[in-house]
Amino acid sequence: MKKTAIFHTSLPKTALAAAVALGLGTASLAVAQDKPTVNVATDPSFVPFEMMDQETGEMTGFDMDIINEIAERAGFEVDLTTMEFNGIIPAVQTGSQEIAIAGITITDERAEIVDFSDPYYDSGLRIIVRDDNNEVTTIDDLEGMSIATKIGSTSYDYLTEKFGDDADVTPYPGTSDMYMALLGRNVDAAFYDAPNVGYFTQTRGEGRTKVVGPLYEGQQYGIVFNKGSDWVEPSNEALADMHKDGTYDEIYTKWFGETPSDE
């Protein structure tokens, strides 16, 4: 009959338990340390997607929850860097940053120099005016007016292509600058990504601004990667799993108050 091997030790039970616990702790630490650290860039002014928590000094927002969840599932640690939006794509393209998430619209032009994840947010462009402005109801009404938008954004591209010299389009480095220009009557209107515009009218701009007109140029946001990045596939798998198990809906509801439609 085959005998079962018995492990003998001269250590007291308490010492043995401590040794085992220490070994498990060391193993867990080793596993954590085995995770590669990835440089991730974001824009600190695109609320509620990414913004600075003034109390903790940490970045928070929809995009931050998304990328942290993806990192956990895909197996990497996030080393976050904040920068102005117009510098993000060049930073990933040149390799100083490996990944970027900042409400970045997927476009053919950008896809020539960086890789994108599968779309993770459906968006578009909206007009915002002061609450006392009853002249603007559609994009065509902005002809001949002064319009604020954000440097490097698809909204800037849209405006310059549509109006050329028939409107005074001013790009600002941050959304706060853009909205201050609107409230300060330095511009007649602002034109930018729908979720950010809507969030502003419900918070700092409540009672002073309003969103008008339909949604223009339906867009989708994607996470940006270096060309040929090994993180694209595991990130897409993580996104798919987040949709399947309800995690994406939980994060979406936390920041936007309602679950996105399947339509």
Side-chain angles (χ1 to χ4, degrees), residues 111-214:
E112 291 179 0
I113 57 176
V114 294
D115 283 343
F116 279 100
S117 69
D118 293 333
Y120 72 93
Y121 187 92
D122 293 330
S123 184
L125 306 174
R126 298 295 299 272
I127 304 167
I128 178 173
V129 295
R130 289 181 294 276
D131 193 57
D132 59 358
N133 186 328
N134 296 315
E135 300 175 21
V136 177
T137 57
T138 70
I139 193 75
D140 292 330
D141 295 328
L142 295 177
E143 184 173 351
M145 293 187 177
S146 55
I147 313 163
T149 188
K150 190 171 181 179
I151 292 174
S153 65
T154 54
S155 51
Y156 175 76
D157 296 337
Y158 184 95
L159 290 172
T160 53
E161 182 177 344
K162 179 173 180 60
F163 293 114
D165 296 330
D166 293 332
D168 180 14
V169 179
T170 303
Y172 287 86
T175 52
S176 58
D177 304 315
M178 179 180 73
Y179 293 132
M180 286 300 294
L182 177 63
L183 292 175
R185 297 184 177 274
N186 295 318
V187 295
D188 299 309
F191 188 66
Y192 194 50
D193 292 43
N196 186 259
V197 166
Y199 184 82
F200 181 80
T201 60
Q202 297 174 39
T203 53
R204 290 174 52 207
E206 185 177 13
R208 299 186 290 170
T209 61
K210 61 185 178 182
V211 177
V212 296

Side-chain angles (χ1 to χ4, degrees), residues 85-96 113-114:
F85 184 81
N86 62 322
I88 288 178
I89 296 291
V92 176
Q93 180 188 9
T94 58
S96 64
I113 57 176
V114 294

Side-chain angles (χ1 to χ4, degrees), residues 33-111:
Q33 290 176 338
D34 283 344
K35 280 188 177 183
T37 299
V38 177
N39 296 328
V40 178
T42 193
D43 169 10
S45 66
F46 189 47
V47 296
F49 287 79
E50 38 266 329
M51 51 194 168
M52 182 69 72
D53 186 317
Q54 299 302 322
E55 294 184 1
T56 65
E58 297 181 353
M59 291 296 296
T60 185
F62 177 75
D63 277 353
M64 297 299 94
D65 286 352
I66 291 292
I67 194 62
N68 287 329
E69 183 67 24
I70 287 175
E72 178 67 25
R73 296 180 185 224
F76 63 86
E77 300 286 342
V78 173
D79 182 9
L80 193 67
T81 297
T82 60
M83 61 180 66
E84 291 185 357
F85 184 81
N86 62 322
I88 288 178
I89 296 291
V92 176
Q93 180 188 9
T94 58
S96 64
Q97 298 294 316
E98 297 173 75
I99 296 176
I101 184 168
I104 303 170
T105 301
I106 300 171
T107 67
D108 292 339
E109 292 79 10
R110 288 171 175 168

